[in-house]
Amino acid sequence: MRTTLIARGAAVAAAAAMVALSAAPASAATVSQASATALSLELAGTGARDTGTYAVTNNGSTESAEGTNEPLITALGGQDAIHAGTLAQDAVANKDATSAACAGLAGDGATLVAAGSGNCLSGGDNISLDAASLDFSDVELVSSGLFQGVDQQLITALEEAGLSQTAVTDPLSAALKDVLAAMGDPGLHLDLGAVQSSCTADKDSASGDSSLANSRAYVTIPTVGDVTLVDLPVDPGVDQKVVTDLTGVTDAILDALRTQFTNALNGALAPANDGLDQLQTQVLDTALGQIESQLAPLEENVLDITLNSQDTAPGEITVTALDVKVLPAAQEFVGGSLAHLTIGTSHCGPNSPVTKTVAKNPPKAANPPASVPTVVTAGMESYDDGSAGRIALVTLLLLAAAGAGVATYVRMLRRG
Amino acid sequence: MVLGGLVWPGGSAAVEVPPGAPKRLELPGLNTKAKVVPIRLDGEVLDPPRNPREIGWWVGSAKPGSAQGQTVVTGHTVHTGGGSLNKLDHIEEGQEVDIVTKDGTFQHQVDSVEVLSRKELAEQAQRIFGQDHGDGRLVIITCTDWNGSSYDSNIVVLAHRFNALPRVQKKS
């Protein structure tokens, strides 16, 4: 399955709504305003989907609202990326020229909190979001290149043993296909706790923040299991970029190929009595080098993840908790379309008819006064990775097998 | 202009290993190797990765190979065993500590091993973790002094860099 996400259209629509509100002339008696969009995504070829934007304004005496502040996951129909969870998007605009908004996503069981208190989601289970599937079907061996640089004497020895070069390269190509088939289409997932943003604004300035609870990106490989790409920070800095390194995935593929290639070469070269060890080494290195170079884009960066994205203007701010795109470098492995997803977009202000002073939201982590750790909590009492249970199970099986053997032997003695 | 990284003679041509995010920490004298993942400060608390077999690299510290600052890594000591830095209390001055990036390996030699109480660590935090000094020094830290329910102290290992080995490229 190739699932791809693009939310550019949805994000643009949401942003347009915000800009429309923001651009409303102050003379139109808009004293305060805010808006929130819980989630937006677009599937390649099937259009944009989002939870809509809940937007409020206050004219100094009355608050008006557009959209819904009770978004439902079911509104995101026609997509396979996300099926369950609790959405939140809420905003308030007060006549005293203050406003607040919050937006986000959490797993089932989360508690909703009204805007104005910072976060609007509390607790809840984690939720798994299918970002994409990796596709390795285009990875191939260039058979003609496998013997480049190989000693002519070895080629001659190969021919003297009655073997053609094809007899060596064909088993390698077959082994590559087998390994990649076993790998399947590894899924690229986001495991998310409560992901949310919030903002507040008054007549002078605006500020916002984001938080992500227990969130990570990981890949599921059928033959390996889950490989964590990156743990997302709970309290990210402003516009914090996160790099997803798939070295663990490429290492798993190369390890499997090394074994399979070695077996294939042993079989192919068996008719040559001396095994042609040098030839085997040279061809193996060349073949693995070919594959490694093809997988290189995965070792750079696959997902362009921005946390706590903040866009500020005098007296107003837009905060997006999580923004995810699949980078072009990885495009060949995740299908033909880019993926883009945004979660938790909150917008506050501007809230005064007078000209605002520029109040660029102060970044939390930027230029901190030499912030260093003062506590290092690097001790644990115990850790159970499940190995004790596995060892106990194996021991029980061995004991059972030994018992069965003894019983059989005793029966044989009795019969004898 | 090269601000960081080491240039080391390799045959007829000098080979540079640029600064880069650490991938693996190796302590040959303790027969210890562990994967390194990035971690961030939570307030003023540096908490290693949830998986105690992994090492955390504080992203607010220098990348290995940097000419300035110091690289700070931390890993768990697990009382019942299995922590990535369980053996750190056996390290000695002069021993080698290596940190591997995607471009090569930076070799360090241990200069000092200190056991500090939590209060002492907080008081000396700028000296140990500050990034305005260090010249690329490596700082390794874990917990020690199990009191039956928690750990009372930290072990801090300081090591200077003495060599950089570029990653060996496979022949194609």
Side-chain angles (χ1 to χ4, degrees), chain A residues 344-391:
Chain A
T345 299
S346 304
H347 178 88
C348 292
N351 288 351
S352 171
V354 297
T355 303
K356 307 296 183 294
T357 56
V358 174
K360 179 79 176 179
N361 191 59
K364 282 180 304 187
N367 304 317
S371 178
V372 297
T374 57
V375 178
V376 180
T377 54
M380 299 172 75
E381 180 173 5
S382 63
Y383 175 69
D384 178 15
D385 63 354
S387 60
R390 290 195 295 274
I391 291 171

Side-chain angles (χ1 to χ4, degrees), chain A residues 245 374-375 377-378 380 385, chain B residues 23 44 46-47 53 77 79:
Chain A
D245 182 349
T374 57
V375 178
T377 54
M380 299 172 75
D385 63 354
Chain B
K23 300 289 186 187
E44 293 185 348
L46 190 62
D47 194 15
R53 292 199 170 91
T77 291
H79 175 60

Side-chain angles (χ1 to χ4, degrees), chain B residues 35-97:
Chain B
K35 177 183 176 184
V36 179
V37 299
I39 56 173
R40 292 175 56 81
L41 272 184
D42 183 6
E44 293 185 348
V45 177
L46 190 62
D47 194 15
R50 280 178 289 186
N51 183 344
R53 292 199 170 91
E54 294 179 342
I55 298 281
W57 165 56
W58 174 37
V59 296
S61 69
K63 291 179 179 177
S66 297
Q68 297 176 339
Q70 41 193 353
T71 302
V72 177
V73 296
T74 179
H76 277 295
T77 291
V78 180
H79 175 60
T80 54
S84 57
L85 292 180
N86 261 42
K87 301 176 184 174
L88 195 63
D89 56 354
H90 290 95
I91 203 166
E92 295 176 356
E93 291 180 14
Q95 285 189 336
E96 182 178 333
V97 180

Side-chain angles (χ1 to χ4, degrees), chain A residues 5-7 10 39-43 47-49 79 81-82 340-341:
Chain A
L5 310 173
I6 298 180
L39 183 148
S40 67
L41 61 87
E42 185 172 318
L43 305 178
R49 287 164 180 78
Q79 49 85 33
I82 181 169
H340 192 175
L341 160 77

